[in-house]
Amino acid sequence: MTKLCRALFVICCFLFAAVNVIIAAEETAAPESTVLKAAEPIQLGATNAPAKIVSLGSTNPKSSFKFELELTSKGAAINKAVFSEFNDRDYKNPKPLVILSPVKLPDGSEVLSMANKEFVFVQQQLLLPLDKLNWQTFDVQSMQDGSQTARFEATINAEDSGTPMIKLIKTYMVSPNSFLLDCELTIENLTSSEQKVRFNLTGPVGIGREDTSRDDEKVVAGFKDSQGGVISVRLDANKLHKAKTPDDRRLTKTGADFLWAAVVNKYFAAILVPAPDKGKDFCDWVTDKAGRFYNPDDQLGTGDETVGVELKIAPSQLAPAGQADSNSTKTYNFQLYLGPKDKSLFDKNQLYSKLGFFHTIDFMSCCCPANIINPLAFGILAIMKWMHNNLIGNYGVV
């Protein structure tokens, strides 16, 4: 039985087609008066805007918001996400619990959740590191339904003439009484010729450790199988740390369609859901999903280790600007769940249930497979909740 259980943990490696070779850009974080440059022979630039921080939602428990989102102009990213209903369990001085925070790397740079990273002109084989750029930031807007939005913009120019080529508009929205935030990215071709472009995106990163006695941080991905059910794959921090090749970090399931990718700890999850295009029930424009292990101080066992998710987005062919009925823009929509790993919550919400968010809950404690442990554990949990609500009002006794 032990050998069989261990065999269930083996993940097959899959071959992936080779990607286009891209000439790396200069990754110098330029001051406000300069530009980021792509490689020769064509020069492209994106002018830095002033650095700025804006916030959506609230950490006030009396507010209707589930969290506060601190957004930064650097990469148009999430700098920090903090809950309003959960605290850090410091009995002396409890503070709102931080669910996502920046990951500081040994070289002094930072990795931020939802940052736009490399933007690639495929045919020209040119790359711009948009996570090094301060995007133009607009003021927070409040809607009639109580939701709040923040918008960022970046324009890529031909450096020799200053002619605008590509415009990116990124918008975040948080709504009252919801653990979901919406993120929309629109790419617009401003030139008179076709442009084939793609980009890489950092998913959620920097989730905190809830259990100091062991490392419960994992990356998880959900997929829809051929029968329409949701299945998942997961990589824990230890596996990601030991990964030797890109295949060792990939989140993939052969014959299944990608639904979402998440980072989780013992009690909470940050689940990123790319929205399918109209008429489709799964997202087909994410070509690669991978987990990452981060060790800010370069030393194991100090408690600052964390994990994250990275996405590679498929190329899009943008038609020339200014033509009637042309597809000169492409919009990508994402939803990010920031909240507890609560099966009762996942079961009650139609979207959470359909997408199988309960797969972020992991009851495996040794070598027993999830298809044995999870049904038993969920059944016991349901019985305990029923007894608590109907017979014994004390979980300790139950």
Side-chain angles (χ1 to χ4, degrees):
M1 181 62 184
T2 301
K3 292 182 178 179
L4 177 61
C5 292
R6 289 177 179 172
L8 293 174
F9 282 99
V10 178
I11 300 176
C12 298
C13 296
F14 299 94
L15 297 176
F16 281 75
V19 297
N20 291 330
V21 177
I22 301 169
I23 302 174
E26 296 176 5
E27 295 191 353
T28 304
E32 191 173 324
S33 60
T34 62
V35 297
L36 299 170
K37 296 182 180 180
E40 297 286 358
I42 303 172
Q43 291 290 324
L44 300 173
T47 304
N48 251 340
K52 191 173 181 179
I53 296 286
V54 296
S55 294
L56 302 178
S58 174
T59 58
N60 186 346
K62 296 181 180 180
S63 75
S64 56
F65 291 103
K66 299 294 186 181
F67 50 78
E68 181 179 83
L69 206 64
E70 186 179 279
L71 304 170
T72 174
S73 56
K74 184 74 72 175
I78 298 173
N79 191 59
K80 188 163 58 174
V82 187
F83 286 127
S84 62
E85 298 177 349
F86 306 103
N87 63 52
D88 60 5
R89 294 182 292 170
D90 183 342
Y91 70 95
K92 291 183 178 180
N93 184 27
K95 296 179 180 179
L97 181 65
V98 177
I99 176 68
L100 297 178
S101 58
V103 176
K104 296 185 182 296
L105 301 182
D107 64 2
S109 62
E110 288 185 335
V111 181
L112 302 174
S113 298
M114 299 302 292
N116 275 76
K117 297 180 63 182
E118 299 86 0
F119 187 86
V120 180
F121 288 80
V122 177
Q123 293 167 327
Q124 298 92 332
Q125 293 187 317
L126 296 173
L127 174 152
L128 284 173
L130 293 183
D131 58 337
K132 309 296 182 183
L133 178 76
N134 279 311
W135 296 37
Q136 184 179 3
T137 308
F138 295 84
D139 292 336
V140 172
Q141 299 290 320
S142 297
M143 306 299 163
Q144 290 185 347
D145 62 358
S147 61
Q148 297 178 351
T149 65
R151 187 171 96 255
F152 301 88
E153 292 185 6
T155 302
I156 299 173
N157 306 308
E159 193 179 50
D160 55 350
S161 63
T163 303
M165 296 184 65
I166 294 288
K167 185 176 184 178
L168 298 98
I169 304 172
K170 192 172 185 180
T171 305
Y172 291 90
M173 181 176 73
V174 299
S175 300
N177 304 307
S178 176
F179 287 110
L180 285 175
L181 69 92
D182 294 285
C183 179
E184 179 184 276
L185 177 68
T186 297
I187 302 175
E188 181 181 0
N189 183 10
L190 304 178
T191 72
S192 58
S193 59
E194 287 188 349
Q195 298 289 342
K196 188 176 183 180
V197 298
R198 68 168 186 84
F199 65 95
N200 297 330
L201 183 77
T202 301
V205 299
I207 191 168
R209 179 182 294 184
E210 281 293 309
D211 189 342
T212 57
S213 64
R214 63 174 185 164
D215 197 343
D216 283 290
E217 296 169 343
K218 298 179 180 70
V219 295
V220 188
F223 299 83
K224 178 179 286 188
D225 64 19
S226 57
Q227 286 76 43
V230 178
I231 54 179
S232 62
V233 296
R234 65 193 66 232
L235 296 171
D236 62 27
N238 187 48
K239 288 182 180 179
L240 291 172
H241 173 240
K242 294 180 178 179
K244 302 297 183 183
T245 68
D247 281 345
D248 295 334
R249 299 190 297 104
R250 284 197 167 100
L251 297 163
T252 185
K253 200 77 170 178
T254 185
D257 300 319
F258 175 62
L259 295 175
W260 49 263
V263 295
V264 304
N265 60 23
K266 188 173 183 179
Y267 301 117
F268 298 98
I271 310 172
L272 180 61
V273 184
D277 289 333
K278 187 176 181 179
K280 298 183 179 180
D281 57 0
F282 67 94
C283 174
D284 61 356
W285 42 264
V286 176
T287 61
D288 203 2
K289 298 80 60 180
R292 288 293 302 269
F293 177 80
Y294 298 103
N295 188 9
D297 62 5
D298 235 359
Q299 297 181 25
L300 293 176
T302 58
D304 63 349
E305 300 88 352
T306 188
V307 297
V309 170
E310 294 178 341
L311 302 182
K312 180 180 177 181
I313 309 303
S316 291
Q317 192 79 32
L318 302 180
Q323 297 184 6
D325 300 323
S326 70
N327 296 316
S328 60
T329 65
K330 171 70 174 178
T331 297
Y332 304 87
N333 287 288
F334 301 87
Q335 286 188 306
L336 181 61
Y337 171 88
L338 298 175
K341 293 160 53 177
D342 184 340
K343 189 172 186 297
S344 61
L345 171 64
F346 293 159
D347 288 343
K348 291 176 183 177
N349 185 288
Q350 184 177 1
L351 176 64
Y352 303 165
S353 178
K354 177 183 177 181
L355 292 174
F357 279 5
F358 74 88
H359 280 270
T360 60
I361 303 172
D362 188 358
F363 287 106
M364 289 187 294
S365 60
C366 56
C367 62
C368 296
N371 61 351
I372 294 176
I373 288 294
N374 283 2
L376 293 174
F378 284 135
I380 292 170
L381 182 61
I383 293 172
M384 290 177 65
K385 287 187 175 181
W386 182 87
M387 292 177 65
H388 175 268
N389 294 333
N390 296 279
L391 298 177
I392 306 169
N394 185 302
Y395 266 123
V397 176
V398 171

